[in-house]
C-alpha cells in the first residue's frame, strides 16, 4: 500500500458527492468547481493527489 492509498482509503475518491459536502473540515470544499465538474476525467493518481492536498487545507481550518 502506497502513501496515497493509505491516506485516501477511507475516502471514496472515485465517487465523491460534492453536493453533500460539510461546511467544516471537508476536503471537498477545497476542490475547485471546474475540477469537481470534470472529476471523472482525472486518473486515480491525480484524484489521490487532489484529495491529499485538499485534505491538508481542510485540516488547517480554524474556527472560533
Amino acid at each position: 500500500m502506497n502513501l496515497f492509498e493509505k491516506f485516501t482509503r477511507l475516502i471514496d475518491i472515485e465517487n465523491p458527492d460534492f453536493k453533500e459536502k460539510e461546511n467544516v473540515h471537508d476536503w471537498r470544499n477545497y476542490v475547485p468547481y471546474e475540477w469537481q465538474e470534470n472529476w471523472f476525467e482525472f486518473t486515480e493518481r491525480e484524484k489521490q493527489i487532489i484529495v491529499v492536498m485538499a485534505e491538508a487545507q481542510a485540516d488547517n481550518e480554524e474556527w472560533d
Side-chain angles (χ1 to χ4, degrees):
M1 179 180 302
N2 68 40
L3 172 66
F4 294 113
E5 290 169 344
K6 187 174 184 178
F7 185 81
T8 62
R9 66 188 164 137
L10 300 177
I11 298 172
D12 183 8
I13 65 169
E14 290 303 317
N15 297 300
D17 190 352
F18 289 106
K19 295 178 182 170
E20 296 296 322
K21 60 188 171 189
E22 302 290 326
N23 289 331
V24 180
H25 298 294
D26 192 327
W27 68 272
R28 295 171 292 185
N29 290 317
Y30 294 93
V31 177
Y33 178 74
E34 294 82 15
W35 292 8
Q36 292 177 26
E37 290 293 304
N38 296 300
W39 189 255
F40 298 105
E41 295 178 22
F42 290 113
T43 66
E44 181 178 358
R45 176 63 67 186
E46 290 169 332
K47 291 174 187 175
Q48 291 171 336
I49 292 168
I50 292 167
V51 169
V52 168
M53 298 302 292
E55 185 68 33
Q57 287 294 112
D59 286 347
N60 286 328
E61 289 180 355
E62 293 186 21
W63 295 86
D64 293 329

